[in-house]
Amino acid sequence: AQKVTQAQTEISVVEKEDVTLDCVYETRDTTYYLFWYKQPPSGELVFLIRRNSFDEQNEISGRYSWNFQKSTSSFNFTITASQVVDSAVYFCALNSNTDSWGKLQFGAGTQVVVTP
Amino acid sequence: DVKVTQSSRYLVKRTGEKVFLECVQDMDHENMFWYRQDPGLGLRLIYFSYDVKMKEKGDIPEGYSVSREKKERFSLILESASTNQTSMYLCASSINPTDYYGYTFGSGTRLTVV
């Protein structure tokens, strides 16, 4: 069975600090997809990134960066120079080829609080 | 843009009532999902549907049922609401299992059962 673990329940930082969110996943499949979503106070989950299991290249998008390491089954997310607008709950999710085709398995989420 | 619309943002219902949560998507997506979100537990899948009149149980289907009579609409039904069903309910849709964006989500319905 597949599983996603986000061990950090809440992270509080002061604006302009960097923050890294951890995500560890489990799956028996060799083909799978990993996602990060942001849930602001408005409630709607917003897609941030998708990574497939064959692409371990790290990615940077503005202040966001992602580090995918198959060797440790981790897909960590870093926000550089955090801003108050980054305050939200962030979810890591997994969709694997056979374990649960088409169904996203979510982690428990990490609440990020950025104070001015 | 794909839109997933949930009919109510907030609902308050009494214990024992039959509750309907409605979800409509406007981009002809095949797949629709209902999740509930609780602090510390993340999102847990209740039911999903890959086609009209088709439904599959998720991880926590007890106390819930669903209906999908039309492709664009997926309803979650609480047959007899209980206080432990107080939660945030999120509807989502996707084109296919490998849809690049995963799911498109609605804004959620926060249900309180008193």
Side-chain angles (χ1 to χ4, degrees):
Chain A
Q2 60 181 26
K3 184 180 178 181
V4 177
T5 302
Q6 295 180 254
Q8 304 148 307
T9 304
E10 181 171 327
I11 302 174
S12 294
V13 296
V14 177
E15 212 169 15
K16 297 185 182 178
E17 289 184 342
D18 298 347
V19 56
T20 295
L21 311 179
D22 298 332
C23 173
V24 175
Y25 62 92
E26 296 176 27
T27 179
R28 58 185 177 178
D29 287 320
T30 56
T31 300
Y32 52 88
Y33 303 89
L34 294 162
F35 298 82
W36 275 95
Y37 286 86
K38 174 183 180 180
Q39 186 182 39
S42 60
E44 184 175 332
L45 272 77
V46 176
F47 167 87
L48 294 178
I49 191 171
R50 172 208 200 227
R51 182 58 86 227
N52 73 53
S53 52
F54 299 107
D55 181 4
E56 284 194 74
Q57 190 172 12
N58 292 329
E59 180 153 339
I60 298 174
S61 176
R63 297 184 296 106
Y64 294 170
S65 62
W66 289 269
N67 183 295
F68 176 28
Q69 292 194 337
K70 288 179 73 172
S71 60
T72 56
S73 297
S74 64
F75 187 42
N76 297 337
F77 172 33
T78 297
I79 304 171
T80 302
S82 60
Q83 300 176 2
V84 172
V85 293
D86 296 325
S87 296
V89 181
Y90 292 85
F91 290 96
C92 181
L94 168 68
N95 176 11
S96 63
N97 206 24
T98 56
D99 257 349
S100 60
W101 188 237
K103 297 181 291 180
L104 285 178
Q105 180 75 39
F106 286 86
T110 299
Q111 172 83 56
V112 173
V113 178
V114 182
T115 53
Chain B
D1 284 351
V2 176
K3 291 296 182 188
V4 177
T5 304
Q6 295 184 232
S7 55
S8 302
R9 184 84 171 121
Y10 298 95
L11 273 179
V12 180
K13 297 292 182 180
R14 295 194 178 278
T15 300
E17 275 193 75
K18 190 169 186 176
V19 181
F20 293 85
L21 302 184
E22 305 290 346
C23 175
V24 177
Q25 49 95 1
D26 66 359
M27 284 298 289
D28 204 35
H29 280 181
E30 299 290 336
N31 310 313
M32 297 189 75
F33 307 84
W34 275 105
Y35 283 85
R36 65 176 280 176
Q37 180 181 357
D38 300 289
L41 297 176
L43 277 70
R44 294 179 292 166
L45 183 63
I46 305 171
Y47 267 97
F48 61 101
S49 170
Y50 288 146
D51 202 353
V52 176
K53 295 190 184 295
M54 177 272 180
K55 60 186 178 184
E56 293 278 350
K57 292 180 179 179
D59 300 321
I60 52 165
E62 296 77 21
Y64 304 93
S65 63
V66 290
S67 172
R68 194 167 181 200
E69 296 296 320
K70 294 184 179 181
K71 191 175 187 179
E72 67 271 18
R73 185 180 297 271
F74 192 37
S75 303
L76 180 69
I77 304 160
L78 285 66
E79 297 291 344
S80 178
S82 64
T83 54
N84 63 13
Q85 292 178 310
T86 292
S87 186
M88 169 72 93
Y89 290 87
L90 290 163
C91 177
S93 71
S94 70
I95 296 173
N96 56 54
T98 55
D99 184 6
Y100 187 87
Y101 298 101
Y103 297 171
T104 300
F105 283 89
S107 296
T109 296
R110 188 166 292 281
L111 173 67
T112 301
V113 182
V114 298

